[in-house]
Amino acid sequence: MERTITVTGTGSATAAPDLVTLTLGVETRRETAAKAYDDAGTSAAAVAASLRAAGIGDGDLRTSGLNLRADVMWVEGQGQKVSAYVASTTLHVGVRSYGDAPAAIAAAVAAGGDDIRINGLEQGLADPSRATAQAQEAAWQDALARAEQYAALASARLGSVVSISQQPVHSGPVPMGGMVRASYVAETLPVEAGESVISASVTVEWELI
């Protein structure tokens, strides 16, 4: 009967992030649906224009989500009444230089005024291939060391590799979450790069000889 050993190894690599992804929201609250919708479009266009002026390319701007709803409130003796209409949309922005990120954020806030929302910021790698390869090599070395240790405990040696199964690679972005209203942003805020972590996992089966 052929003996085998199966071991899972893990590894990680760090790299300085070179990509900032902003999630910006535009939200308008007006007395009529038409006014809310029109003003949201005007504010969104102003924000996008300010980002382009700050050096953001068209390929790094993406609009997603469009919502128009009625806000209702309970009035004693009258039931539910519409208090306002709210229109909102979301803009995803890729900033490829950390030096440009604070100015881009400040420009968007200035252009959007009270209608702008900062819904999140994530840091990552434009090309994670090098860090991914380093993490995969570290995972392989970890699996090999574990397998050799178990083989020695079993008074055996490792033979040929029977199978290799790579697990999904995960990265660790650094989020700045929560909704931030423009009134909270008085000055340009710094964006610290920190580090991005990419992890890898591999499962390997060896013959035991």
Side-chain angles (χ1 to χ4, degrees):
M1 179 179 178
E2 184 181 79
R3 296 192 301 165
T4 64
I5 183 173
T6 302
V7 174
T8 296
T10 59
S12 63
T14 60
D18 56 7
L19 178 66
V20 176
T21 301
L22 302 173
T23 303
L24 304 177
V26 170
E27 182 181 277
T28 56
R29 184 182 301 271
R30 304 292 187 266
E31 292 182 356
T32 67
K35 181 64 173 172
Y37 183 83
D38 289 344
D39 286 358
T42 300
S43 292
V47 170
S50 72
L51 290 167
R52 290 187 178 95
I56 307 300
D58 288 344
D60 290 322
L61 294 173
R62 179 172 61 87
T63 300
S64 69
L66 178 62
N67 183 267
L68 178 61
R69 61 180 174 82
D71 258 6
V72 297
M73 61 183 296
W74 179 264
V75 179
E76 188 67 30
Q78 300 180 46
Q80 286 189 337
K81 292 289 185 179
V82 174
S83 60
Y85 292 89
V86 181
S88 61
T89 188
T90 301
L91 184 65
H92 300 275
V93 186
V95 185
R96 298 182 180 273
S97 170
Y98 270 87
D100 295 338
I105 296 170
V109 169
D114 290 340
D115 297 334
I116 192 71
R117 308 289 184 266
I118 301 176
N119 295 333
L121 180 152
E122 286 191 351
Q123 303 178 19
L125 302 173
D127 181 8
S129 58
R130 181 176 180 181
T132 297
Q134 293 173 342
Q136 290 170 337
E137 181 176 351
W140 173 268
Q141 294 299 331
D142 182 52
L144 179 61
R146 291 171 183 266
E148 288 177 337
Q149 179 185 14
Y150 288 128
L153 291 172
S155 301
R157 293 181 294 110
L158 296 181
S160 300
V161 173
V162 177
S163 66
I164 301 174
S165 176
Q166 179 179 314
Q167 307 303 316
V169 175
H170 302 286
S171 62
V174 183
M176 290 177 62
M179 177 177 287
V180 180
R181 296 185 180 271
S183 58
Y184 296 157
V185 184
E187 300 176 355
T188 299
L189 299 179
V191 177
E192 305 296 341
E195 287 187 334
S196 284
V197 180
I198 291 183
S199 301
S201 178
V202 63
T203 299
V204 187
E205 182 182 7
W206 279 273
E207 292 180 339
L208 284 180
I209 57 176

